[in-house]
Amino acid sequence: MAHRILVLAAAVVLASVAQSAARELAPKVPTALVEDVKSGTAGVEFMDYVGSGQVIRLAPHDTLVLSYLQSCEQETITGGTVTVGAARSDVKGGQVVRSKSPCDGGNIRLSEAEASKSAASAFRVQSADTEITLYAQAPAVAFPKMLASADRTLVIRRVDRPGERHAIKLDDASAAKGFYDLAKANLSLARGGVYTASLGGQNVPFRIDANAKSGPAPIASRLLRFE
């Protein structure tokens, strides 16, 4: 009898551990973007999307920068266990510094079909019929990794005042990352300008806020995403 009780108790413990692990690994509805990470234990990478309920474990001196896409809150976290929330993280055993910057969180949408996929691939920031406002003059452009060579020309064209046009050939490194930062290329767009970005057969309309910042800014403030 005692043996059976021990076996049942062990089974209950193992089931609980398995359920907990499944909850941590299950696909999440994306709520934040990884802007920077220096960690061997976090299990996330630069430009990954993370979702409410996801747990990220950091060693004592590891750092993680998250930008929340609807609340526009940016967090720099050092060490500890991070539980991603809808608007901010719960951090235990670590330190967090928070700040806010303008972003276009109101235009973030996620369909039911997309919500059933993984956070890294399901997130939709823009669609062809949505005009996004960017709050910095240098957009950060995210796109599917490993685009075919023929689809690697990013074209940004101003539509409210014809004449301004930028054509950028994405190199192999950018294609592998699925990311190109116009700030690092010292390319700034006009405050108040209305633009269309084209890449791989997709078009994304956007405008630059009249009070947009120059130079680098939190990615959530200036993110253009192609599906």
Side-chain angles (χ1 to χ4, degrees):
M1 180 65 72
H3 177 70
R4 286 184 179 179
I5 293 174
L6 288 173
V7 170
L8 287 172
V12 169
V13 170
L14 288 174
S16 177
V17 170
Q19 289 175 357
S20 178
R23 283 194 296 269
E24 290 191 16
L25 294 174
K28 311 293 180 182
V29 175
T31 56
L33 175 70
V34 177
E35 288 212 20
D36 192 20
V37 59
K38 294 179 176 64
S39 172
T41 61
V44 294
E45 299 179 354
F46 171 67
M47 290 299 292
D48 277 355
Y49 293 105
V50 295
S52 186
Q54 187 168 343
V55 177
I56 302 170
R57 305 184 190 282
L58 302 175
H61 300 292
D62 291 352
T63 58
L64 172 69
V65 180
L66 294 179
S67 279
Y68 277 84
L69 295 158
Q70 290 192 347
S71 67
C72 305
E73 187 134 3
Q74 186 183 60
E75 300 176 334
T76 300
I77 303 166
T78 304
T81 299
V82 181
T83 302
V84 179
R88 58 167 48 189
S89 302
D90 178 47
V91 180
K92 290 184 170 60
Q95 296 181 333
V96 57
V97 176
R98 294 185 173 94
S99 62
K100 277 209 171 189
S101 58
C103 71
D104 207 20
N107 277 324
I108 293 170
R109 298 289 184 269
L110 191 72
S111 70
E112 290 183 7
E114 289 172 323
S116 67
K117 300 177 185 177
S118 69
S121 62
F123 192 66
R124 176 177 301 186
V125 176
Q126 287 94 14
S127 63
D129 58 354
T130 301
E131 183 183 272
I132 299 300
T133 299
L134 304 187
Y135 295 89
Q137 291 180 264
V141 183
F143 47 87
K145 294 181 180 180
M146 302 308 297
L147 282 174
S149 297
D151 295 329
R152 291 186 188 176
T153 300
L154 171 65
V155 177
I156 297 176
R157 179 174 56 88
R158 187 167 181 178
V159 296
D160 64 327
R161 185 179 298 176
E164 183 182 354
R165 182 180 183 276
H166 308 277
I168 302 161
K169 183 66 176 178
L170 303 176
D171 59 19
D172 290 343
S174 297
K177 291 179 181 177
F179 181 75
Y180 184 82
D181 191 348
L182 271 70
K184 293 185 177 179
N186 294 317
L187 178 56
S188 294
L189 305 181
R191 292 185 176 97
V194 180
Y195 293 84
T196 296
S198 303
L199 180 67
Q202 295 184 55
N203 297 305
V204 177
F206 67 98
R207 71 169 58 244
I208 303 295
D209 186 73
N211 298 310
K213 294 181 179 180
S214 61
I219 290 175
S221 294
R222 55 193 183 95
L223 179 64
L224 278 178
R225 182 170 175 81
F226 291 86
E227 296 176 18

